[in-house]
Amino acid sequence: MLLNAGLFFTVLGTSVISCGGNDNQRTDTLVDSRDAYDPRSLDPALSTDVPTGRAVTYIFDGLTRFTEEAEVLPNLAESWEISADGLTYTFKLKTGVLFHDGTPFTARSVETSFERVLDPKTLGGRGWPLYPVRGAKEFANGKSDRIAGLKIMNDSILQLTLVEPFAIFPKMLAMPATFITPVHASGDSLNFGEHPIGTGPWKFVEWRHDDYIKFARNDRYHGDIPLVDTLIARIIPEQSSAVAEFESGRVDIVPIPAQETRSWEARTDAATLLQSSPSLRLMYAAINTTRGPLKDARVRRAINHAIDIDMLLNRLMGGRGARANGVIPSTLTGYNSKRPVYKYDTTLAKRLLNEAGYPNGVDIELWCSQGEPMPRMAQTIQAYLALVNIRVKIVQRDASSMREAARNGATDIALKDWFADYPDAEAFLYPLLHSSNFGVGGNVSFYSNSQVDSLINSARRQQDEAKRAELYEVADSISFYDAPMIYLFFYKEVFAVQPWLKGYKVPSIFNGQRWNTVGISR
């Protein structure tokens, strides 16, 4: 049975004892258990996975930051101005900000941080959020010894000039890879990744690999100073173990697997502890628009009409999501709530196949990875399509092999999900539907529509958010009718949160919750 807020803990587990003492009424330590594997590093320059991105967000700051609702706000940049042509951003930086070791933050810190993440010697880094800056790609490719579009005006004024207008550029600067490190940060990313120094709300204390990371409150933080002394990020590979830790009161938050959602909702002692938020994750099946019968949009629309997506969502995913009526989730600008989804209609599906010249149906391959729930979803889709004479051969491969085959255009349909790196409709439209991103860029439907390309290009340059939303919406509508994918659903994250946790909000973006406004009240 779940513990109530007023009940005492039993003896805390070894990891928590070693991290924060054995106070049975823990009120000064927050314990998170969302990570199932160790971060790759604690160096922003090597932030290529979610556990790393989360931890880095506690220790470091960017020029901007995301809220829990995925709104972008100033952070180390106090404000910024954009030139009339949309190319130059002039940032006014906060003054008086100190790194955890007492080193002052200045514009030079930004320059060296950006050089670190773009440095060709930073193997496996993720510098692409800075590629919109003029000269960033050349620096990353070793063709230049400086970032041409970065100019330090003085210690608190910095200019970044872009290759072309990119309206959502401030969102790129809220991504972990662009976070700011001290000028004296070691060139050895391995060493700095084990002993990080930032300006963030939490100071690094200790990392026991595959067990926990401990952080202490930064009392000199320039923003909201954390309400408690200590934050611990537990690494618990087994979901059942994480749930047991939660039910024993040893952790404050735990993710709920999709297949267990209904059972948690049915328990009166558990249902009240559940919190959820729509995530920026689209589950879909990419239809290769260049292969055989799938070249015809009528066949692709028939496939969409032949599948009962509501059943898939409710039976296989525990209702954890919302039907997709395009590639833009409901939480982002550009979403059209009035656009109808593809309704389940086998009669219509058969008619579309007949109109396309396939009265006897078609034969296709459906590729999926071996991890759940993909195989069960593929089998269910196969059964539905059989009802309209679409004969499906399922091809299961490990995730990397399936991904490679899809990128190479070797699949008819590939069952996939897409995690947006930043909260904007562009993060779905551009990689999944723009013709410049065939294959490795994300468009494994090999979908090409010059009108959609033009609308996306215009939206990327448009500074007016309302006008940009209109462009997004039209691009999404045109491509939705063209059906370059099976539109499944947008996933919803669900967590169990202890009743004594106050101020916690489930973030829409993985690095939107920094724990500095969360407290414990018993």
Side-chain angles (χ1 to χ4, degrees), residues 200-274:
W202 300 96
K203 296 184 291 184
F204 170 75
V205 176
E206 181 184 16
W207 183 2
R208 288 197 179 181
H209 287 278
D210 300 310
D211 191 354
Y212 67 82
I213 309 172
K214 183 179 179 181
F215 310 90
R217 176 173 59 201
N218 178 13
D219 289 314
R220 297 187 298 190
Y221 188 54
H222 59 89
D224 292 323
I225 296 173
L227 301 176
V228 301
D229 295 336
T230 304
L231 170 65
I232 295 169
R234 293 283 305 279
I235 295 106
I236 307 178
E238 294 296 328
Q239 181 64 35
S240 59
S241 299
V243 170
E245 293 285 276
F246 180 84
E247 293 186 333
S248 299
R250 298 182 182 121
V251 302
D252 293 317
I253 180 171
V254 66
I256 305 301
Q259 63 270 22
E260 296 180 16
T261 306
R262 300 297 191 197
S263 62
W264 277 75
E265 291 173 341
R267 292 168 54 186
T268 56
D269 63 337
T272 58
L273 302 180
L274 298 181

Side-chain angles (χ1 to χ4, degrees), residues 21 26 237 256 299 433:
R26 175 169 56 86
I256 305 301
V299 173
L433 299 171

Side-chain angles (χ1 to χ4, degrees), residues 165-176:
F166 188 35
I168 63 169
F169 180 62
K171 295 184 180 182
M172 301 293 102
L173 301 179
M175 295 181 63

Side-chain angles (χ1 to χ4, degrees), residues 100-408:
H100 298 153
D101 64 354
T103 305
F105 159 74
T106 66
R108 174 67 175 151
S109 311
V110 180
E111 180 180 47
T112 57
S113 299
F114 288 1
E115 288 175 346
R116 283 187 79 247
V117 74
L118 291 168
D119 192 326
K121 294 190 293 293
T122 306
L123 297 176
R126 201 176 195 188
W128 64 262
L130 293 173
Y131 285 176
V133 178
R134 185 177 298 166
K137 281 187 178 180
E138 289 78 4
F139 184 89
N141 292 332
K143 297 179 179 179
S144 174
D145 61 358
R146 57 185 291 271
I147 304 171
L150 189 156
K151 183 177 182 181
I152 295 176
M153 311 301 288
N154 56 50
D155 280 352
S156 60
I157 303 292
L158 177 82
Q159 278 191 350
L160 293 174
T161 300
L162 310 186
V163 176
E164 60 182 8
F166 188 35
I168 63 169
F169 180 62
K171 295 184 180 182
M172 301 293 102
L173 301 179
M175 295 181 63
T178 69
F179 287 176
I180 309 306
T181 56
V183 171
H184 62 78
S186 169
D188 181 359
S189 291
L190 179 61
N191 182 61
F192 187 75
E194 293 282 338
H195 305 282
I197 299 169
T199 62
W202 300 96
K203 296 184 291 184
F204 170 75
V205 176
E206 181 184 16
W207 183 2
R208 288 197 179 181
H209 287 278
D210 300 310
D211 191 354
Y212 67 82
I213 309 172
K214 183 179 179 181
F215 310 90
R217 176 173 59 201
N218 178 13
D219 289 314
R220 297 187 298 190
Y221 188 54
H222 59 89
D224 292 323
I225 296 173
L227 301 176
V228 301
D229 295 336
T230 304
L231 170 65
I232 295 169
R234 293 283 305 279
I235 295 106
I236 307 178
E238 294 296 328
Q239 181 64 35
S240 59
S241 299
V243 170
E245 293 285 276
F246 180 84
E247 293 186 333
S248 299
R250 298 182 182 121
V251 302
D252 293 317
I253 180 171
V254 66
I256 305 301
Q259 63 270 22
E260 296 180 16
T261 306
R262 300 297 191 197
S263 62
W264 277 75
E265 291 173 341
R267 292 168 54 186
T268 56
D269 63 337
T272 58
L273 302 180
L274 298 181
Q275 292 188 25
S276 64
S277 175
S279 65
L280 301 179
R281 178 186 179 188
L282 170 65
M283 301 194 76
Y284 72 106
I287 303 174
N288 190 330
T289 60
T290 68
R291 290 173 69 91
L294 300 177
K295 294 177 182 178
D296 195 315
R298 291 169 295 187
V299 173
R300 303 194 297 266
R301 288 196 291 273
I303 290 171
N304 274 276
H305 282 298
I307 303 166
D308 187 347
I309 306 298
D310 288 320
M311 194 285 298
L312 283 176
L313 179 58
N314 290 319
R315 296 284 182 86
L316 299 185
M317 302 300 296
R320 290 271 292 273
R323 286 285 305 273
N325 67 346
V327 299
I328 303 176
S330 62
T331 54
L332 298 182
T333 297
Y335 169 73
N336 182 350
S337 62
K338 297 179 180 179
R339 185 187 305 129
V341 298
Y342 280 103
K343 65 179 180 178
Y344 177 48
D345 188 335
T346 55
T347 301
L348 177 56
K350 290 177 180 178
R351 186 168 74 241
L352 286 167
L353 286 172
N354 191 60
E355 290 175 0
Y358 301 98
N360 298 318
V362 297
D363 295 276
I364 58 173
E365 288 185 345
L366 171 60
W367 287 57
C368 71
S369 62
Q370 296 166 339
E372 288 294 340
M374 296 307 190
R376 287 185 298 138
M377 197 171 295
Q379 291 162 10
T380 308
I381 290 172
Q382 178 189 48
Y384 274 118
L385 292 181
L387 299 177
V388 297
N389 294 323
I390 297 178
R391 296 166 293 276
V392 174
K393 176 184 176 183
I394 294 176
V395 181
Q396 278 193 50
R397 295 288 187 272
D398 63 88
S400 61
S401 297
M402 195 278 287
R403 184 166 54 247
E404 187 68 18
R407 288 174 174 175
N408 291 334

Side-chain angles (χ1 to χ4, degrees), residues 410-463:
T411 61
D412 289 334
I413 303 179
L415 192 55
K416 295 176 60 63
D417 56 0
W418 179 263
F419 291 85
D421 288 300
Y422 46 93
D424 196 272
E426 193 267 357
F428 292 92
L429 288 166
Y430 184 64
L432 296 180
L433 299 171
H434 197 284
S435 63
S436 66
N437 288 316
F438 285 171
V440 70
N443 183 354
V444 295
S445 299
F446 296 87
Y447 172 70
S448 179
N449 183 308
S450 59
Q451 187 179 6
V452 170
D453 283 354
S454 178
L455 287 163
I456 295 173
N457 291 339
S458 296
R460 286 165 64 87
R461 294 174 170 83
Q462 179 55 251
Q463 294 290 339

